[in-house]
Amino acid sequence: MEKIQKEPDNHQKRLVQAPGRINLIGEHTDYNDGFVLPAAVDKKMTVQLERNGHPFLCRITAGDLKEEFEFSLQGFSPLDSGWQNYVMGVVQELQQLGAGLQGFDCRFEGDVPIGSGMSSSAALECSLACGLNELFGLGFSEWQLIKAAQMAEHHFVGTKCGIMDQFASIMGKKGQAMLLDCRSLEYEYFPLELGGYQLLLLNTNVSHSLATSEYNTRREECGQGVAILKKEYPGITSLRDISLEQLLAGKGKMPEHIYRRCRHVVSENQRVLEAARALSEGKHKALGQLIYQSHFSLQHDYEVSCPELDFLVQQALDKDYILGSRMMGGGFGGCTISILEKRQAAQFVEEVSWKYRERFGIAPTPIAVSIEDGAKVIE
Ligand code: GLA
């Protein structure tokens, strides 16, 4: 790992940061062996780590929340909920990889808005995984750290997330989006150049409690779709292997909602590939159209949107200066991501904020992002 892993070396202290991410397109495709087009951003988690001389004691401070927590490396288990689970989850995954950890003090703080769909959780997991790798000279590869961070979320937090967020947080590159094949893990960087257009995130400032349970349900529903389709096409192992024509041919054999879940994933994979092409050819209007289509597919077929997200996308639809807009991340709240003319951005924010407040009683928050490098050691 160039940026993180040097010669395995022990340190007393380390300061490491890992960013949140945006995703241009490719939602709920990662855990279906599909394609995604994310990029790391300038919102990040910073972790300060120091050996404390104790063999087992870990003292953790969540700087933004002003909360503290202690646990022993000799025995720990998940709490009902809370940020502590991300920390202990990462520690457990590293231990399972054979890491010889000792007591440490850790303080983290960041500016990735929580519940915004920008992966504040991956930023925390990745900064900690990279930081411990450095502090204790563990010598794990980037891929091992990405996987450990993802599995922390599976095993300690309970969300069966895909690989996109952790991958983007560690592998991000300044000014570039990444087309990642979540099956082969091959990836390619694409300059995120939008000419007279810019990205705009609008945070709905809602985070509906369905997010975790429905996320896992969607994963299961995709599995059910694959199991049904396998009878017809025994060679397949995931929705990645299915074309829209094959899916349509199998429609009568599956419950209607399972068909729609599968249709989202299969069509979204196609959109990601088309979007990467459009981006590289500077075809911003075509990219915008794909982004709108992604939203409607997530809204109607995958059913992971919510009234607040739909409202913001609806407001964009009749504006010529907005090329595309959609919900971003897992859904049920968080941000929309839009591509719009730079010179119209401020006006749109003002107009949409007013209307949103009138409808929902709260204001959305515009979030300006720049595309930056993934996790790195600061000191
Ligand atoms: C969350 C998960 C990701 C991905 C997205 C939806 O961010 O952590 O793995 O599945 O939702 O695309």
Side-chain angles (χ1 to χ4, degrees), residues 21 26-31 119 153 161-165 215 329-330:
R21 57 113 190 88
E27 228 60 90
H28 291 274
T29 45
D30 59 353
Y31 53 84
S119 279
E153 201 148 330
C161 63
I163 199 71
M164 167 171 71
D165 303 351
Y215 187 95

Side-chain angles (χ1 to χ4, degrees), residues 122-133:
L124 172 54
E125 294 149 9
C126 293
S127 57
L128 185 65
C130 294
L132 291 172
N133 194 43

